[in-house]
Each structure stands twice: as C-alpha cells, then as structure tokens.
Amino acid sequence: ANDDDTSTTSTHNRLRSTATTRLIRRLRLSSVQERRHFSSSSSFHLDPSSGLVFSDKAQTRARFQTIVGLEIHAQLDISTKLFSPAPVNNINSSSQAKGSQKPNSHLHPYDVAVPGQLPTLSANAVRSAVLAATLLQCQVQTESRFERKHYTYADLPHHYQITQQRWPLARNGSLTIDETSQKHKNQNKNNNNNGSTKCRIHRIQLECDTGKTTQATTTTG
C-alpha cells in the first residue's frame, strides 16, 4: 500500500510540474507577442487626468492605466502600545522627555514574547482609527479581524506581525488635496479638476509594527 501511495504521489507531482511548465510557456509566448505588437506601434498617448495610455491618437484604444499606490504608516497619538499596556512616547511628548528615556524601559512581558502572554487590544487605538476612517470618508466595516503574518526580523521577538491583511477596519475612502500653488494650477489647468486632486483610499487597518532599533555611539576624550 505504501508503494502504491508513493507511486501515485510521484505521478501527481510529474503532472503538476508538466502543467506548470506549459502555463509558463504560454505566458512567455503571450508576453513576446504583446511586446511585438507594441513595438510595431509608432507612439503611445497619455491622458494625464486619468492615467490612461492609448495606442492611437483618437484615444479610443486604451491599453494601460497608470495607478500609483502608497502604503502610509501613521503612529496613533495614544498613551500605550497597540497590544500591551506598556507606555509609549506619543506625538505630544517633548523632545527632552523622549531623549531622557532609557532603552528597553517601556516593556511588557508580551512585547518580548514571554510564553503565555497574550495580546490585549487597546480600545483607544480602535477609537482613534475609527475617527481617522470617518474623517477620510471610509466605510467602517462591521467585521474586522486580526491575523498573524509570520516572518523573521531583528527586532521582532514574536517572529510574526499582528495585522489586518484581509479584514481591515475600514475601506473605500478618499482625501481631496487642494492645489493652491500657482505652479500646480498651471500644470493641471487642462485636467478640469478645479485645482484639487482626489486620492482614493483603499483601506485603513491596524497593525503592530516592529520595535525600534537605535544604535547609540559614544565618544571619549
């Protein structure tokens, strides 16, 4: 029975490998054909207001659309860490107070992955994140979850990060930026955007970032 199982597994692996190879060949062939098609075109035309790239001057055949996304990390102005009661230097702390703190002085057993210590979500962090999502016109989700994202990092004792990769706190918001400078107005006078740019927000999520590693150097003499 064990020999039959081994033979069946080997056959499945070969079939899987063959199917994967065929798929890669098809993707390569389609990529080469696409490049040949574009190389034969004389030029492309960009619509700066939408980011669409057209292959004809009449702009009837859209081939690409440029979408630039940014992942922005923001530290919440709360008095404790996200998953432990350990205090933190918030944004309003003075630079003198921040500089006087000794390294590794704001620690809780959970922060250093002591076995048996479980995370405790900060209610203030959730309130601040919901407030930010509301101000950014996001849809606050009725259900959001935390997950572990496993990876090894020098200052990550748990060897995983707690994040909201698939079930974020909020989705689908926007932020309108006014272009008040004359330079921006001149650059975008043909875009019909009335001197402002609307940035779409895909998601807002809470996550625990890694610790901060600081190397202090001392001089003598």
Side-chain angles (χ1 to χ4, degrees):
N2 292 336
D3 293 341
D4 293 340
D5 293 342
T6 303
S7 177
T8 302
T9 302
S10 178
T11 302
H12 287 172
N13 289 337
R14 286 198 302 269
L15 291 175
R16 190 181 298 110
S17 177
T18 303
T20 303
T21 303
R22 290 177 180 174
L23 177 60
I24 292 175
R25 288 176 179 174
R26 290 178 182 177
L27 292 175
R28 288 177 177 174
L29 179 61
S30 62
S31 178
V32 170
Q33 292 174 345
E34 196 76 6
R35 286 199 301 268
R36 288 176 179 175
H37 171 73
F38 291 139
S39 62
S40 63
S41 302
S42 58
S43 61
F44 295 98
H45 304 274
L46 171 66
D47 180 11
S49 61
S50 64
L52 289 172
V53 178
F54 298 88
S55 57
D56 60 331
K57 292 184 179 180
Q59 296 188 356
T60 58
R61 299 178 57 192
R63 305 299 300 184
F64 304 101
Q65 183 177 17
T66 304
I67 298 178
V68 179
L70 300 177
E71 180 182 358
I72 300 175
H73 289 233
Q75 179 181 350
L76 296 175
D77 189 12
I78 57 178
S79 59
T80 64
K81 297 182 180 181
L82 180 58
F83 289 112
S84 80
V88 296
N89 289 320
N90 57 31
I91 300 173
N92 294 324
S93 299
S94 64
S95 57
Q96 183 178 1
K98 293 179 180 179
S100 62
Q101 301 296 329
K102 295 182 179 179
N104 300 323
S105 59
H106 293 175
L107 287 178
H108 182 268
Y110 170 77
D111 300 332
V112 290
V114 173
Q117 295 294 324
L118 298 177
T120 302
L121 179 61
S122 167
N124 288 332
V126 176
R127 293 190 191 98
S128 298
V130 170
L131 176 60
T134 303
L135 293 175
L136 294 173
Q137 304 180 24
C138 295
Q139 299 172 1
V140 178
Q141 303 298 289
T142 57
E143 179 182 2
S144 61
R145 305 181 188 178
F146 287 98
E147 297 178 286
R148 290 183 179 182
K149 183 169 67 175
H150 289 263
Y151 63 94
T152 300
Y153 201 72
D155 50 12
L156 189 63
H158 296 87
H159 296 287
Y160 64 81
Q161 179 191 34
I162 299 181
T163 182
Q164 294 183 313
Q165 185 66 29
R166 292 181 291 179
W167 292 278
L169 181 78
R171 296 180 182 271
N172 303 328
S174 63
L175 174 64
T176 301
I177 302 176
D178 293 327
E179 300 172 357
T180 56
S181 68
Q182 189 62 38
K183 178 181 178 180
H184 287 162
K185 290 182 179 179
N186 293 336
Q187 290 177 346
N188 299 309
K189 60 183 179 180
N190 297 324
N191 293 349
N192 298 322
N193 57 2
N194 298 321
S196 63
T197 299
K198 185 177 182 179
C199 300
R200 293 176 296 174
I201 297 176
H202 181 254
R203 59 196 288 134
I204 289 181
Q205 66 186 50
L206 285 169
E207 65 179 23
C208 181
D209 276 346
T210 60
K212 180 180 179 182
T213 301
T214 304
Q215 181 179 357
T217 58
T218 57
T219 58
T220 59

